[in-house]
Amino acid sequence: MKDVYILDAVRTPFGRYGGALSGVRPDDLAAHVIKALAERNDLDAPDEVILGNANGAGEENRNVARMAAILAGLPITTPGATVNRLCGSGMEAVIQAYRAIALGDASTVIAGGVESMTRAPWVLPKPDKAFPAGGQELVSTTLGWRLVNPAMPAEHTIPLGEGAELIADKHRISRAEQDAFALASHQKAAKASFEREIVPIAGLTRDEGIRHDTSMEKLAKLKPVFRRDGGTVTAGNSSPLSDGAAALLLTDEAGLRGREPLARIAATGVSALEPRYYGLGPVEASTKALAKAGKSFGDLATAELNEAFAAQVLGCLAELPDLDPAIVNPDGGAIAIGHPLGASGARVTGAVAHRLAAAGSGTGLATLCIGVGQGLAVVLDR
């Protein structure tokens, strides 16, 4: 098994739903980060491009990895594959690239993810019978369950936000605690410099969702979204709908060509649990990945735990008492930065790699929860 290194990591700024990136197709978002990686690393052609995408129903259909590679100007002989593990798709792409290089099937791979939640289409299901006389209903593909199999138990298909409410119930996480976590995410992101990873696009140079002027008072005025009576999950303590792309350049020892990598991939972990408690997926995934790396939570210098909801992160921290909250998301997280589903796994992995490179040494963890009850994690070291 070969050692696998992250040589570089880039991303677009993440845009708000209907915001600055609403006019940019997802295949163009992906092509933008691929081209940036190739240009700043003097890369003629990777052995493959692997991208994650959670939707696949709109302009990113027909294998967005292959389409983006062509649009980015890579040689037409560059293969591309698109993978889907919902919110973990971007990290899944990185893991699949890691495996290919470790096994010797490739030397250099661009891996990442993309999502335009703004441009996610409505779909029109085919009717059960030909020539229906009545109207047909369009279904949004932006987020969440749709076209659900009637055999699926109802408790498995609750809204994602209700899953966050269940975690808040389980760990007695108050509305004030969730709002305080959300405020801290915005404050940390507002102070952070993402220059080493962001490649501007469409005039956007910073993440559009960061709210510099938010406060506990403003957050407290927001009404619960999923439980009208007694609910604690609001738009303010949840990640927003977002647009963006992220990509990493992975390689083996030969592909380094004497250059210093950001980090080495030490281990990965995946888990599954009850879909309604999907938000706790990082607990087992992270524990597995660290065990495979021969590390403990106490060995970590930094960690990224994707912020789908404040309650979800706080629930994970409650179940991981050995993970120091002070090292988690030091530059803010998805509540402020944004959560374009297919791209987030690549973003958090790249963020940890850049942070380890800036420190010069250490071990880091990137992890995130996944709808329908899964978790994914990557351990990096330097």
Side-chain angles (χ1 to χ4, degrees), residues 125-151:
K126 287 186 176 180
D128 293 330
K129 297 180 180 179
F131 314 116
Q136 299 296 299
E137 182 180 0
L138 289 168
V139 179
S140 173
T141 67
T142 299
L143 179 70
W145 293 92
R146 63 258 190 183
L147 308 180
V148 178
N149 190 315

Side-chain angles (χ1 to χ4, degrees), residues 161-186:
E162 175 59 22
E165 290 280 14
L166 289 176
I167 294 172
D169 291 343
K170 180 179 181 180
H171 289 288
R172 298 181 180 179
I173 302 168
S174 70
R175 164 72 182 272
E177 289 175 299
Q178 294 175 54
D179 285 352
F181 183 90
L183 176 61
S185 183
H186 284 283

